[in-house]
């Protein structure tokens, strides 16, 4: 088998640069690109030293650890030990993530049912490995995209999770328990009482409300355009909120005054707003049903009622 050392070295240099760049992206660090290039060059020296008399030493795990430490030190610098250790562990996490993706993809598309054949043949291929460098060259961009998109998605979920709250609402004698999302974009307030407004989905629980209340949740304009007759106890709670939305200058929202609202955050702080309104909607607010209502940020401001020790 012919091995082109210069191609392998350049590809290894590129891989090391991408791994360092992904590490910097995960750590949210602004690093000059030339540092990534030099750091990748330091890592690629392992390939060059592998054909010298010191190859037996450079292939030792301690030598590889030293090279990776040197790479991380040059790119991310040594500010303090905890930061450096975090950078080093993130670099290894990224390396294993990329490597695991490529190995999994390789054996997923492999047609040979005998894995042992690939393992044994790799022992005699040297730099070839069971995963060819051509496969790595084309699979690496896919691994980059997959890794970045998955981490972006996990960060988005974590950001949402940090804003998720447990909501207990008492409305006309009925108690509802929902998962709420604190949304800074929700600035709905009653123009008269200045009560903050939350939006809750009643999809799947329509039987717990009067038929006319459910109808108004679907068609709020029918309150003025038709003879909708609400039960007396619901009429006393109703508030009409004129709003403006994209594509529709004016839209009516039907809100109801609640008896009681308790909001519990993930750090076990409890807020009980003195006044609050709720807009009922039959639409599903979250496609994956991770939350059922949108909370006005004003409902979780001020001093919490209680905090877990």
């Amino acid at each position: 088998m012919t091995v082109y050392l210069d191609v392998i070295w350049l590809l290894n240099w590129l891989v090391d640069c991408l791994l360092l760049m992904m590490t910097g992206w995960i750590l949210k660090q602004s690093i000059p690109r030339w540092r990534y290039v030099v750091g990748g060059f330091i890592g690629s020296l392992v390939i060059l030293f592998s054909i010298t008399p010191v190859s037996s030493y450079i292939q030792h795990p301690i030598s590889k650890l030293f090279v990776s430490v040197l790479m991380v030190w040059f790119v991310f610098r040594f500010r303090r030990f905890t930061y450096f250790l975090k950078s080093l562990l993130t670099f290894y996490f990224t390396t294993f993530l990329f490597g695991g993706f490529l190995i999994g993809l390789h054996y997923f598309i492999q047609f040979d049912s005998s894995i042992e054949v690939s393992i044994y043949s790799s022992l005699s291929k040297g730099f070839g490995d069971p995963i060819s460098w051509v496969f790595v060259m084309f699979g690496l961009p896919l691994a980059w995209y997959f890794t970045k998109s998955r981490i972006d998605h996990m960060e988005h979920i974590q950001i949402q999770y940090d804003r998720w709250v447990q909501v207990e609402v008492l409305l006309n004698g009925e108690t509802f328990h929902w998962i709420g999302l604190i949304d800074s974009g929700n600035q709905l307030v009653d123009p008269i009482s200045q009560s903050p407004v939350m939006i809750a989905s009643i999809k799947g629980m329509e039987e717990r409300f009067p038929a006319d209340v459910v109808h108004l949740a679907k068609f709020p304009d029918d309150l003025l355009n038709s003879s909708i007759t609400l039960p007396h106890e619901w009429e006393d709670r109703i508030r009409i909120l004129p709003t403006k939305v994209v594509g529709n200058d004016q839209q009516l929202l039907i809100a109801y005054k609640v008896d009681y609202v308790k909001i519990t955050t993930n750090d076990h702080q409890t807020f009980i707003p003195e006044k609050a309104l709720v807009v009922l909607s039959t639409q599903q607010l979250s496609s994956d049903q991770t939350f059922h209502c949108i909370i006005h940020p004003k409902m979780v401001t001020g001093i919490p009622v209680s905090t877990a020790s």
Side-chain angles (χ1 to χ4, degrees):
M1 182 184 68
T2 303
V3 177
Y4 296 96
L5 185 62
D6 55 345
V7 176
I8 295 175
W9 172 63
L10 288 174
L11 185 57
N12 189 272
W13 187 358
L14 174 63
V15 170
D16 288 337
C17 291
L18 290 179
L19 291 175
L20 289 169
M21 291 177 64
M22 178 62 72
T23 303
W25 178 80
I26 294 176
L27 293 173
K28 299 295 187 291
Q29 296 295 320
S30 179
I31 306 294
R33 293 192 176 183
W34 68 270
R35 285 192 174 277
Y36 292 127
V37 175
V38 177
F41 175 77
I42 295 174
S44 67
L45 291 178
V46 174
I47 301 298
L48 299 181
F49 281 114
S50 296
I51 60 172
T52 65
V54 298
S55 60
S56 59
Y57 300 101
I58 203 66
Q59 293 296 332
H60 195 276
I62 295 180
S63 300
K64 294 180 180 179
L65 176 62
F66 174 76
V67 172
S68 62
V69 168
L70 191 62
M71 294 168 62
V72 173
W73 172 82
F74 181 84
V75 175
F76 301 102
R77 315 301 293 172
F78 189 93
R79 301 177 185 176
R80 59 182 183 275
F81 179 75
T82 54
Y83 171 79
F84 178 78
L85 183 62
K86 178 182 178 181
S87 302
L88 182 63
L89 293 178
T90 305
F91 173 70
Y92 276 110
F93 167 77
T94 305
T95 302
F96 296 148
L97 197 63
F98 267 61
F101 177 86
L102 291 176
I103 292 175
L105 182 63
H106 171 74
Y107 285 110
F108 178 77
I109 64 177
Q110 180 150 319
F111 295 101
D112 189 356
S113 60
S114 176
I115 299 179
E116 289 82 1
V117 173
S118 296
I119 296 177
Y120 291 143
S121 63
S122 68
L123 298 178
S124 61
K125 289 185 179 179
F127 291 112
D129 284 332
I131 302 179
S132 69
W133 286 101
V134 175
F135 175 82
V136 173
M137 183 168 54
F138 288 99
L140 198 62
L142 184 60
W144 172 276
Y145 172 77
F146 177 82
T147 303
K148 189 174 184 302
S149 62
R150 288 300 86 199
I151 293 178
D152 275 337
H153 181 67
M154 288 188 293
E155 286 184 342
H156 176 70
I157 292 177
Q158 182 61 41
I159 290 173
Q160 280 199 333
Y161 175 78
D162 292 338
R163 295 183 295 165
W164 287 344
V165 291
Q166 300 291 331
V167 184
E168 179 182 341
V169 176
L170 179 62
L171 177 60
N172 196 34
E174 285 273 0
T175 301
F176 302 91
H177 293 89
W178 292 316
I179 297 177
L181 174 68
I182 303 174
D183 184 8
S184 59
N186 176 18
Q187 298 296 324
L188 278 174
V189 293
D190 180 17
I192 298 176
S193 65
Q194 294 300 305
S195 300
V197 180
M198 58 185 289
I199 303 174
S201 172
I202 61 172
K203 187 176 180 62
M205 59 178 67
E206 290 88 348
E207 69 279 356
R208 300 181 63 179
F209 297 88
D212 287 336
V213 173
V214 176
H215 180 85
L216 286 181
K218 297 179 180 178
F219 310 104
D221 290 338
D222 286 357
L223 182 67
L224 303 179
N225 301 334
S226 63
S227 58
I228 294 293
T229 304
L230 291 175
H232 177 71
E233 61 272 16
W234 286 89
E235 285 184 344
D236 295 339
R237 299 175 179 276
I238 202 167
R239 304 290 187 273
I240 300 177
L241 307 178
T243 61
K244 291 184 178 181
V245 296
V246 177
N248 191 352
D249 291 336
Q250 295 292 335
Q251 181 180 5
L252 289 181
L253 290 180
I254 308 300
Y256 301 91
K257 186 178 183 299
V258 300
D259 300 311
Y260 171 83
V261 176
K262 183 173 74 172
I263 300 173
T264 305
T265 63
N266 288 322
D267 54 359
H268 305 291
Q269 290 185 331
T270 300
F271 296 86
I272 301 179
E274 295 182 359
K275 50 186 179 180
L277 301 175
V278 59
V279 172
L280 303 178
S281 173
T282 56
Q283 296 182 355
Q284 193 168 285
L285 301 180
S286 171
S287 58
D288 52 3
Q289 297 185 359
T290 52
F291 61 90
H292 312 98
C293 58
I294 299 175
I295 305 299
H296 194 291
K298 194 176 180 180
M299 293 183 176
V300 289
T301 56
I303 302 175
V305 175
S306 63
T307 304
S309 59

